[in-house]
Amino acid sequence: MRKITIEGVGSYLPERIMTNDDLAKIVDTSDEWIRTRTGICERHLAAEGETCSDLAVRAAQRALADAGLEPNDIDLLIVATVTPDHIMPSAAVLIQAKLGLRSVPSFDVNAACSGFLYALETARSLLRNERYRHALVIGSEKLSSIVNWEDRSTCVLFGDGAGAFVLGNGSSDLPVLVDGLAGADGLAANLLYVPAGGSAQPASKETVEDRLHTVTMNGKELFKAAVRHMAEATEEILKRNGLTTEDIAWFVPHQANIRIVQALAQQLNVPMECFVCNIEHTGNSSAASIPIAFAQAKAEGRFQKGDRIVLVAFGAGLTWAATLVLW
Ligand code: UT7
């Protein structure tokens, strides 16, 4: 079977930073509450007019440069997002045009915070087909556009940003995507969703007045489900590859809440030092969170050749996913 490799990675965080103290000026919250309950100190927010596709393009350009490739080399584009520029067409086609890619298959994946790993697994499967040599996989979110800035229980959590991987099916000494799995439980879809704006409840004066175009969340139930599903997904991918947690140098989890990562670490009996965490400076950027954390860790030189790395995600849907990388 063809080896699917990671040829380059990149990330982009918009310039504007909103601190916890900034938030405390607009909702009844405090730096102390946000820090201790979530681990977040600040988050980046896109500028007005800066869209999901704009963020994605910046991250993609960095990933292409890291891979030493040109837009012309890309045969497939997959974008994970829940905040595309428009409901139709996809963010992917706008990104394809902005990057100047050839007329390659370009589409979005919506699996919320698990979206990037869903997209990686989709690309990994398609790259086994010799028609595709290089895939660009992006997670990009402008969550600030779907947050209710009057709801302190959600608005403190989210941030904007993008991360990208360039995958290939060629050279053997590059990091390898060894395995990937994904799961879903749509019976729990009501734990985290945006009620209006889709076909169930099209936009109207009332939906706008009632703020039904913003994130509605049951944080407590999600917290428990996140720990359970991320632990199970990690255990499953290790088991089916004949590995234990001791074989894993790094875990790169979805960045939703530092307490979720701590509970996951405890459940897996792995020290927190093995977890890549950047939530302090990014907040939860949904589908962008794992590729941003991964690209930053790579840039810091944290991964060594031969390291096994587990990426693990959980999100609205419910959805979950895990990916095993050999660096
Ligand atoms: O990306 C995947 C999807 N998202 C998640 O995975 C989120 C998972 N859930 C969580 O991270 C946590 O449940 C939250 C951070 C959302 C909430 O933390 P919690 O420890 O579960 O707090 P809570 O909802 O039980 O609220 C505790 C108290 C409440 O006050 P009372 O009822 O005890 O008086 C809230 O009203 O904290 C209050 N509260 C706040 N206080 C200050 C809620 N939000 C805030 C806030 N500032 N921002």
Side-chain angles (χ1 to χ4, degrees):
M1 205 174 276
R2 285 163 174 271
K3 224 183 231 183
I4 310 306
T5 50
I6 302 175
E7 308 218 338
V9 301
S11 68
Y12 174 72
L13 291 167
E15 268 170 45
R16 184 176 160 212
I17 290 175
M18 183 179 253
T19 65
N20 293 345
D21 287 333
D22 294 333
L23 272 166
K25 290 179 194 143
I26 57 173
V27 285
D28 180 14
T29 190
S30 65
D31 175 53
E32 207 263 333
W33 192 96
I34 303 170
R35 233 177 243 267
T36 53
R37 304 312 294 167
T38 71
I40 301 166
C41 299
E42 59 186 23
R43 69 286 294 142
H44 291 249
L45 299 187
E48 218 178 307
E50 193 175 24
T51 64
C52 166
S53 65
D54 294 328
L55 304 177
V57 164
R58 303 290 286 265
Q61 285 167 335
R62 290 176 181 176
L64 282 167
D66 191 41
L69 293 172
E70 299 293 329
N72 237 352
D73 297 315
I74 298 299
D75 308 301
L76 171 69
L77 170 64
I78 308 182
V79 180
T81 185
V82 292
T83 50
D85 299 24
H86 308 284
I87 282 190
M88 182 182 77
S90 64
V93 297
L94 304 181
I95 295 162
Q96 180 223 7
K98 287 181 185 180
L99 279 172
L101 303 188
R102 290 177 289 110
S103 56
V104 300
S106 305
F107 58 94
D108 289 2
V109 165
N110 177 345
C113 306
S114 312
F116 185 75
L117 299 192
Y118 266 66
L120 268 192
E121 186 53 11
T122 308
R124 197 172 74 95
S125 304
L126 287 170
L127 281 169
R128 296 219 183 94
N129 179 330
E130 63 190 21
R131 224 175 315 149
Y132 303 112
R133 286 191 40 242
H134 292 110
L136 177 58
V137 181
I138 307 173
S140 183
E141 299 286 12
K142 186 178 177 181
L143 293 170
S144 57
S145 66
I146 59 164
V147 160
N148 178 355
W149 290 101
E150 291 177 4
D151 175 11
R152 70 176 182 173
S153 69
T154 51
C155 77
V156 302
L157 302 174
F158 300 105
D160 301 333
F165 281 19
V166 175
L167 305 181
N169 59 16
S171 168
S172 59
D173 59 349
L174 288 168
V176 178
L177 282 184
V178 178
D179 194 12
L181 62 83
D185 174 14
L187 292 175
N190 63 344
L191 292 185
L192 179 55
Y193 72 121
V194 175
S199 58
Q201 214 173 347
S204 68
K205 190 164 158 280
E206 288 73 30
T207 61
V208 173
E209 281 169 0
D210 294 344
R211 298 195 176 265
L212 298 180
H213 297 272
T214 58
V215 170
T216 299
M217 186 178 88
N218 179 337
K220 274 207 178 313
E221 288 307 312
L222 275 174
F223 191 110
K224 287 183 268 179
V227 177
R228 180 161 64 85
H229 286 299
M230 287 205 289
E232 285 174 4
T234 303
E235 280 157 2
E236 189 181 337
I237 204 160
L238 292 181
K239 190 168 164 217
R240 76 186 197 187
N241 285 278
L243 302 169
T244 71
T245 50
E246 309 225 319
D247 299 308
I248 305 303
W250 293 100
F251 295 82
V252 186
H254 169 51
Q255 313 283 312
N257 185 327
I258 195 70
R259 290 189 297 129
I260 292 178
V261 181
Q262 286 162 346
L264 175 66
Q266 199 173 13
Q267 190 138 332
L268 294 172
N269 199 18
V270 170
M272 272 301 278
E273 291 72 47
C274 297
F275 283 78
V276 171
C277 292
N278 66 351
I279 190 169
E280 193 181 345
H281 301 295
T282 60
N284 177 350
S285 59
S286 190
S289 97
I290 287 180
I292 293 172
F294 192 97
Q296 288 180 345
K298 190 216 162 192
E300 288 161 13
R302 293 169 89 172
F303 305 145
Q304 303 297 317
K305 193 156 179 56
D307 278 355
R308 288 194 187 85
I309 306 166
V310 168
L311 321 184
V312 61
F314 166 84
L318 303 177
T319 56
W320 55 88
T323 303
L324 177 64
V325 171
L326 177 62
W327 196 253

